[in-house]
Amino acid sequence: MALLGSQSYLQKVLVIGGGGREHAICWKLAQSKLCDKVYCAPGNGGTALEGKVENVPIAVNEFDKLAQFAVDNKIDLVVVGPDNPLADGIVDRLEKSNLVVFGPTKDQSKLEWSKAHAKQVMDNLAIPTPRYVIARSYEDAKKSALEHDWARVVKVDGLALGKGVFVCDSQEEVLQALAEIFENQTFGDAGRVVLLEEKIDGEELSLLMLCDGKHLVEMPACQDHKRRFDDDKGPNTGGMGAYSPVDLYDRHKAEIQAKIFRPLQKALAENKLSFKGVLYAGIIVSKAGPQVLEFNARFGDPETQALLPRMKSDLLVALFACATGELDQVEIEWVPESSCCVVAVGDKYPASSSKGETITFDEQLANNATEPYLFHAGTKHGNGGVITDGGRVLSVVALAPTMEDAAKKCYEGLNQVSFKGMEFRKDIARRAFKQCHSN
Ligand code: GLY
């Protein structure tokens, strides 16, 4: 089915996942004039409230049930959000049922689920990345750590819920991390292979690119805030907030495009790289220039919540074009405004989740017709309202002509939400407007 010749054809979409990213995707898809209905499996308390969106009680790992649901309901496009089902081959399973799917196959998503594989791809394409060594046993890893005094970052090869990266200050800490991985086997199979990497000082940005197998299109750059507390202190999290655009990207655009974006684009066009979906490059910019730290094979969370409100074009058209190899037929436009997203979490996050606390919010904020927007993550319906049900509970997103005003509006929006134990960082995007003031 060619999308571009079928503008009047109403589409039914199934979004798989239940986080803030999936709420933002459902919200944006539902705005499409071509969209008749969005199902979200399993969704969350917020997707259940969006117009045109209906939650489906099927878990992300129930591939056969998801395929059956999509076939029975004549779904035109399936959009897969999270990394684990991609790594487990959900796209392969859905495509076997002749469904049109936005997302990479198991093999294609190896760029995310094997850090060693991603490094090898970067080497093949001469994409700059910090130097590294791969170790396939504890003995090997210890030997490499002692041989390479530059190795200060230890990464488990597989998916580890964002917890498989140890940034160390000494060789001793590297050896402790290796003991945690190989002796305590904290990461199970994901930690059978490790990567020892050089620690690079610099500032990071996330570059998300849409891909249809042959063509690659950059989305505006974002920056996320991974540490739990203000001033980038405390443990790593899934992400406490994000903003877009990113001045760092603009300042290094030519180099990022020449060394990272165009080699990927060329490799796709020449069939040297196989991928469709969102290719997400985690980039660090140091004195040596931009380097890729990692690839993800999906939309980022919370980057997506910051990005999609800036998208002027129809997301359904863009994702369908990616799934059907027609991305070159589509022009994707973005509004110039700055976007700021702040995530609210329970006070024990990331050690544990918030459960069963009643969430109160201003009705206008909740209806998402105008900004600030409220995207739910760990929420569900209960006690006659919406209650907490996860670590990252929700996020608020606002747009404004300047980042400072976007952040201000975002925090005003957050003041209209509350639940027991609610916490959030107070400095999201501050880095961006501090840089503006000092320029
Ligand atoms: N924000 C980081 C991620 O989505 O992996």
Side-chain angles (χ1 to χ4, degrees):
M1 176 200 323
L3 170 76
L4 303 168
S6 60
Q7 294 292 314
S8 59
Y9 185 80
L10 289 177
Q11 309 271 320
K12 286 205 265 183
V13 190
L14 170 63
V15 175
I16 294 175
R21 164 184 50 210
E22 286 77 22
H23 188 176
I25 291 171
C26 288
W27 166 82
K28 184 68 185 165
L29 287 171
Q31 287 169 22
S32 169
K33 289 197 176 65
L34 299 176
C35 179
D36 186 21
K37 179 96 188 172
V38 181
Y39 294 99
C40 190
N44 59 39
T47 51
L49 298 172
E50 284 296 335
K52 283 198 208 173
V53 183
E54 185 180 322
N55 283 356
V56 179
I58 306 177
V60 300
N61 58 359
E62 295 183 292
F63 295 178
D64 288 339
K65 282 192 187 169
L66 289 166
Q68 196 58 52
F69 175 87
V71 169
D72 291 348
N73 289 279
K74 300 188 170 41
I75 295 293
D76 298 289
L77 175 70
V78 185
V79 179
V80 184
D83 50 1
N84 276 314
L86 291 170
D88 291 339
I90 190 170
V91 172
D92 310 64
R93 172 63 190 88
L94 295 170
E95 286 182 344
K96 220 163 96 185
S97 295
N98 295 320
L99 292 156
V100 178
V101 189
F102 175 84
T105 61
K106 181 181 172 87
D107 265 5
Q108 292 169 339
S109 63
K110 193 169 182 183
L111 279 174
E112 174 159 9
W113 60 258
S114 169
K115 293 193 167 51
H117 171 73
K119 285 285 201 187
Q120 283 154 358
V121 169
M122 287 186 252
D123 284 349
N124 290 343
L125 303 180
I127 290 175
T129 185
R131 63 184 152 160
Y132 69 97
V133 55
I134 296 166
R136 297 181 189 278
S137 70
Y138 190 23
E139 286 317 305
D140 239 24
K142 280 190 290 192
K143 196 163 156 262
S144 296
L146 296 172
E147 251 170 45
H148 303 292
D149 197 36
W150 45 260
R152 287 288 180 271
V153 180
V154 182
K155 293 179 174 175
V156 303
D157 184 52
L159 295 180
L161 300 169
K163 292 179 182 150
V165 178
F166 297 77
V167 181
C168 307
D169 286 323
S170 63
Q171 205 168 59
E172 200 188 334
E173 277 183 32
V174 170
L175 293 171
Q176 279 165 9
L178 293 176
E180 175 76 32
I181 295 165
F182 286 101
E183 284 187 340
N184 299 348
Q185 298 192 357
T186 312
F187 301 94
D189 282 349
R192 282 191 195 284
V193 174
V194 296
L195 211 83
L196 296 165
E197 194 180 63
E198 184 176 15
K199 187 159 116 186
I200 303 287
D201 286 327
E203 207 182 326
E204 291 181 35
L205 64 90
S206 309
L207 184 63
L208 279 64
M209 298 161 274
L210 287 168
C211 183
D212 70 351
K214 285 253 173 277
H215 311 99
L216 193 66
V217 173
E218 285 176 285
M219 292 188 262
C222 305
Q223 205 162 51
D224 77 345
H225 296 62
K226 290 206 176 70
R227 298 296 194 104
R228 171 66 173 79
F229 300 114
D230 285 13
D231 301 317
D232 292 330
K233 303 252 165 56
N236 260 334
T237 68
M240 296 294 294
Y243 63 90
S244 172
V246 179
D247 182 54
L248 179 70
Y249 173 83
D250 296 333
R251 282 185 277 127
H252 296 272
K253 182 174 174 175
E255 234 184 325
I256 290 173
Q257 293 202 334
K259 294 183 174 171
I260 299 167
F261 177 70
R262 279 201 283 279
L264 289 167
Q265 203 176 37
K266 188 162 175 276
L268 284 159
E270 292 174 353
N271 283 327
K272 289 184 182 143
L273 179 66
S274 169
F275 194 84
K276 75 175 159 59
V278 171
L279 182 53
Y280 161 154
I283 296 173
I284 188 158
V285 182
S286 70
K287 281 194 194 116
Q291 301 182 66
V292 174
L293 290 177
E294 62 176 12
F295 285 122
N296 293 321
R298 53 172 173 83
F299 277 108
D301 188 337
E303 287 94 332
T304 305
Q305 294 91 306
L307 260 184
L308 293 184
R310 294 191 64 213
M311 193 183 210
K312 209 160 139 186
S313 306
D314 186 322
L315 180 66
L316 176 54
V317 171
L319 300 190
F320 201 100
C322 285
T324 53
E326 300 173 291
L327 190 56
D328 58 330
Q329 308 289 308
V330 173
E331 202 167 322
I332 303 173
E333 290 183 280
W334 303 87
V335 298
E337 277 82 9
S338 296
S339 167
C340 176
C341 165
V342 180
V343 176
V345 300
D347 52 5
K348 306 276 185 318
Y349 179 77
S352 64
S353 298
S354 172
K355 296 264 179 216
E357 301 296 348
T358 298
I359 307 173
T360 56
F361 35 71
D362 179 272
E363 214 157 285
Q364 197 172 344
L365 180 70
N367 81 16
N368 274 349
T370 55
E371 45 136 357
Y373 303 114
L374 175 64
F375 296 126
H376 292 230
T379 74
K380 66 178 185 184
H381 287 262
N383 302 345
V386 180
I387 56 175
T388 61
D389 189 36
R392 289 190 291 175
V393 175
L394 52 85
S395 56
V396 172
V397 182
L399 269 70
T402 66
M403 191 63 80
E404 194 162 3
D405 286 343
K408 195 163 163 257
K409 265 167 82 175
C410 192
Y411 283 108
E412 282 164 8
L414 267 174
N415 284 337
Q416 295 165 34
V417 186
S418 78
F419 57 88
K420 193 166 162 224
M422 172 172 156
E423 288 187 0
F424 50 86
R425 273 180 63 161
K426 310 285 188 306
D427 65 342
I428 302 300
R430 190 183 292 160
R431 187 190 292 150
F433 48 85
K434 266 196 171 159
Q435 266 166 6
C436 292
H437 289 320
S438 60
N439 277 343

